[in-house]
Amino acid sequence: MEGSSFPVINMEMLDGSQRPEAMNVLRDACENWGFFELLNHGISHELMDRVERVNKEHYRRFREQQFKEFAAKTLDGGGENVDTDGLDWESTFFLRHLPVSNIAEVPELDDECRKIMKEFAVELEKLAERLLDLLCENLGLEKGYLKRAFNGSNGLPTFGTKVSNYPPCPKPDVIKGLRAHTDAGGIILLFQDDQVSGLQLLKDGNWVEVPPLRHSIVVNIGDQLEVITNGRYKSVMHRVIAQTNGNRMSIASFYNPGSDAVIFPAPELMKDEEEKEAYPKFMFEDYMTLYVRHKFQAKEPRFEAMKIMERISSQPIHTA
């Protein structure tokens, strides 16, 4: 399973004689791809089908007409001279699960949708924590290290879901479904449409499609895991290409550090002084403040800015 093909991991292999092979694929995926896809991940197909059904129905009932009005205003009103540099061809809403759920307050969701998304979030949280321990094993870190690193002062991570639809686009050559970016947080679990493609990642200078597989969960590495692993794992640029036909569903859940969690490279992964200078130490909410302004730019300047903030904050204050 290693090599040039997109890494797909059957998690049932982790429970038998093929565990070493599966762990090798996981290591290669985190170090060289920043993405991988999970099959037999423990979330029932029946639950995933219900999640897909209620979210596609929600879009049709409450968001499709709104998006059509946005599209008409954006394209028809702008003609050929429409400015697409800051435009994403997507319809989204957000659900927060931790530290405090907001599902009950999100407008237009019916009781069935709220119930199903809460159930899905519980399963995703368990999967994220299992994955973090698998990553600890691959990295040679103590079990539970990454989960503890994500905990804020309240002992909880930040965990939420972005529900997106990418409707048919008449100008996919000039408008991206979602512009290229890395994800700011920790570990991202994506339930994507298996009928309409569009997700791509940048690998070795080329855009590679993430294959849509039925009932799979796509996982990618966020900026915080790159910092904690001292660059062993990489967050990578990815984007969504708008399609002329079909409405692509995307349900991305972000298992991130708590807002006041202090993020820094694991000491066990720093072998010499040069490696100790590679990544900064910072509070996650400070990184997010910078990220929201520069999401669609390279991550390296964000890391450098955090290093400068770290140096300034560590300087002694001299008084007269």
Side-chain angles (χ1 to χ4, degrees), residues 132 136 139 141 145-150 185-186 222-233 257 261-270 279-280 282 303:
L132 288 178
C136 285
L139 291 161
L141 297 173
Y145 180 93
L146 291 174
K147 185 177 185 299
R148 291 192 298 273
F150 280 29
D223 294 348
Q224 306 310 300
L225 271 183
E226 177 167 337
V227 173
I228 295 172
T229 66
N230 203 36
R232 182 84 61 86
Y233 294 169
V262 178
I263 303 301
F264 54 92
E268 294 87 343
L269 302 179
M270 295 187 293
Y279 288 92
F282 53 85
F303 292 154

Side-chain angles (χ1 to χ4, degrees), residues 109-122:
L109 295 184
D110 60 30
D111 290 342
E112 182 187 24
C113 187
R114 295 183 206 276
K115 178 178 181 295
I116 290 171
M117 292 307 291
K118 284 182 180 179
E119 185 178 347
F120 191 45
V122 169

